[in-house]
Amino acid sequence: METKRRRIRAGVVGTGRLGREHARIYASLDSVERVLVYDRESARAEAVAREHGAEPCASIDVLLAGCDAVSVCTPATDHHAAAPPRRASRHRRSSARRASTAARMKW
C-alpha cells in the first residue's frame, strides 16, 4: 500500500540572496504546494514571488498563518526580529543563530 505524503506550505522571511535561493528551491520541490515570501522591502518580496511563482505577504503574521515551515533568511543581526515563527509553532530553518546580544539569541 502506497502512503500519500502531505504537501507542505513553505515560507521565507527575508528575500535577499539567501532568501531568493530558499524560495527557488521550495518552488522546485514536488513536496511543496505553496511558497510564501516576506521582506521588509515589499518590492523585493514581490519580485522574488514573481520570479519563483510564490506569494508575497504583507507581514510575517500573514506568512505564518499560511505556512507549515519557515526559512529565516535575514541578516544575522535581524534574526531576533524573525522570532515570531517560534511563537507560532512552525518548523523553522535559520542560516545562523547569531544576534547582537545574548538576550536576542534566545528564541
Side-chain angles (χ1 to χ4, degrees):
M1 183 171 162
E2 188 176 316
T3 303
K4 187 173 180 175
R5 294 180 65 182
R6 180 177 165 267
R7 296 176 72 203
I8 67 163
R9 300 164 300 162
V12 179
V13 177
T15 55
R17 184 181 50 83
L18 186 60
R20 184 178 302 269
E21 278 299 297
H22 279 243
R24 180 189 65 78
I25 291 166
Y26 282 138
S28 74
L29 297 173
D30 290 335
S31 58
V32 176
E33 73 177 51
R34 182 180 188 196
V35 180
L36 302 157
V37 295
Y38 168 77
D39 196 284
R40 289 187 295 206
E41 296 178 26
S42 60
R44 187 161 58 178
E46 290 168 6
V48 169
R50 275 191 307 275
E51 185 178 343
H52 299 296
E55 299 172 43
C57 295
S59 70
I60 290 177
D61 292 332
V62 170
L63 180 137
L64 292 173
C67 68
D68 304 306
V70 178
S71 286
V72 178
C73 300
T74 60
T77 55
D78 293 339
H79 279 191
H80 69 279
R86 181 175 181 123
R87 290 196 306 269
S89 299
R90 297 293 186 266
H91 294 284
R92 68 191 180 291
R93 160 110 183 41
S94 178
S95 59
R97 287 192 119 182
R98 296 175 297 193
S100 57
T101 66
R104 287 183 168 174
M105 263 177 94
K106 296 183 179 184
W107 288 23

